[in-house]
């Protein structure tokens, strides 16, 4: 137990996924599997008040190419004081990236654009540095794009290209685990961390405090944080309990 207590801390990022102005959770990223969890502003403010250092904010409508929740995202960032916000979903060009950062986001998470437009991705990685992370959303070793509805290439080929571009951080999601409460894909995380010296954030499947303990053990290998969604919303554990286990 002493060894665990002295292990480096794991940063937790409660997720707030927004669709049609509401806070929702999806299962395996599929449209039509939404469960609704009220007002996303209330959710974000609640996580901030409970001690979250970061919030992972996803515009699902932008990710699926069916609209935008920009005004709501701006309000969330404004009202969730003293917390850093990472914005994901539909950031595919200079305008959407700059709009997200201008809205107060500390970091943006590129998805499809990093796969479909590698030259642009490399240019914004060079320009914005730590403000840009890339989401590696994976089924097996095949990346998922366009709101996880299309294939986006081989994970290892894309990772090698992003490493060459100097990507600052990766958010790694096993799509088959996301929203399922079946536990994170530790093997996948280890494989990614073996191929990069950059920090990695885990996403998908976290269901228990034991999962967080297992992820914290990966911090020395390069795991920086973990995004938590359904487990918090379903009451599997509280954010206070999770932060305690994570060492924050």
């Amino acid at each position: 137990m002493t060894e665990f207590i002295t292990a480096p801390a794991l940063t937790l990022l409660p997720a707030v996924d927004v669709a049609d102005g509401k806070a929702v959770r999806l299962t395996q990223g599929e449209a039509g599997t939404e469960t609704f969890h009220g007002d996303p502003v209330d959710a974000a403010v609640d996580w901030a008040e409970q001690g979250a250092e970061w919030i992972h904010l996803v515009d699902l409508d932008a990710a699926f190419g069916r609209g935008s929740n920009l005004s709501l995202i701006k309000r969330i960032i404004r009202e969730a004081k003293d917390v850093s916000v990472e914005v994901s979903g539909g950031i595919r060009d200079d305008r959407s990236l700059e709009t997200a950062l201008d809205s107060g986001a500390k970091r943006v998470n590129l998805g499809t654009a990093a796969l479909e437009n590698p030259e642009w991705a490399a240019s914004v990685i060079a320009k914005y540095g730590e403000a840009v992370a890339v989401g590696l959303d994976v089924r097996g070793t095949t990346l998922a794009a366009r709101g996880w509805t299309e294939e986006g290439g081989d994970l290892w080929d894309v990772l090698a290209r992003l490493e060459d571009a100097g990507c600052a951080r990766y958010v790694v999601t096993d799509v088959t685990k996301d929203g399922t409460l079946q536990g994170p894909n530790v093997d996948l995380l280890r494989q990614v961390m073996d191929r990069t010296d950059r920090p990695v954030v885990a996403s998908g499947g976290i269901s228990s405090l034991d999962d967080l303990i297992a992820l914290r053990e990966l911090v020395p290998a390069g795991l920086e944080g973990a995004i938590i969604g359904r487990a918090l919303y379903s009451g599997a554990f509280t954010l206070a309990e999770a932060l305690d286990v994570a060492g924050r």
Side-chain angles (χ1 to χ4, degrees), residues 9-235:
L10 181 72
T11 299
L12 302 184
L13 300 86
V16 179
D17 294 2
V18 183
D20 194 26
K22 302 179 182 69
V24 306
R25 296 302 303 162
L26 303 183
T27 301
Q28 296 183 355
E30 294 181 8
T33 64
E34 293 90 348
T35 56
F36 295 94
H37 297 279
D39 185 322
V41 178
D42 291 345
V45 169
D46 192 31
W47 299 138
E49 289 178 346
Q50 288 185 50
E53 299 172 50
W54 280 86
I55 288 173
H56 181 73
L57 181 57
V58 184
D59 187 339
L60 289 171
D61 293 320
F64 284 115
R66 63 192 184 196
S68 169
N69 293 280
L70 178 60
S71 60
L72 182 57
I73 284 170
K74 287 181 177 178
R75 188 172 154 225
I76 291 169
I77 293 172
R78 186 172 66 248
E79 296 198 20
K81 295 181 177 64
D82 301 321
V83 64
S84 297
V85 177
E86 172 182 87
V87 171
S88 182
I91 298 170
R92 298 190 175 104
D93 53 28
D94 288 335
R95 183 179 178 185
S96 53
L97 190 154
E98 289 165 5
T99 298
L101 292 177
D102 288 346
S103 71
K106 184 78 172 285
R107 189 162 72 213
V108 297
N109 189 26
L110 303 183
T112 297
L115 310 180
E116 295 183 349
N117 195 343
E119 293 82 9
W120 176 76
S123 72
V124 298
I125 285 168
K127 180 176 181 180
Y128 293 100
E130 286 284 332
V132 173
V134 172
L136 300 173
D137 303 333
V138 189
R139 289 187 182 93
T141 58
T142 300
L143 289 159
R146 296 279 166 185
W148 297 354
T149 61
E150 298 178 10
E151 292 188 357
D154 178 76
L155 168 61
W156 309 126
D157 291 345
V158 172
L159 180 58
R161 171 165 56 75
L162 291 166
E163 283 290 284
D164 288 343
C167 183
R169 179 176 280 96
Y170 302 101
V171 179
V172 178
T173 305
D174 182 338
V175 176
T176 67
K177 296 275 193 178
D178 192 66
T180 66
L181 298 176
Q182 293 179 352
N185 188 337
V186 172
D187 288 341
L188 172 65
L189 294 168
R190 286 189 183 279
Q191 289 175 54
V192 172
M193 291 186 296
D194 283 346
R195 290 168 169 83
T196 180
D197 293 327
R198 304 293 185 171
V200 170
V201 176
S203 175
I206 293 168
S207 64
S208 67
L209 295 176
D210 284 344
D211 288 340
L212 293 177
I213 290 170
L215 291 177
R216 186 174 173 186
E217 290 172 356
L218 298 180
V219 172
L223 191 70
E224 177 184 71
I227 295 168
I228 314 175
R230 190 176 293 274
L232 285 174
Y233 288 96
S234 67

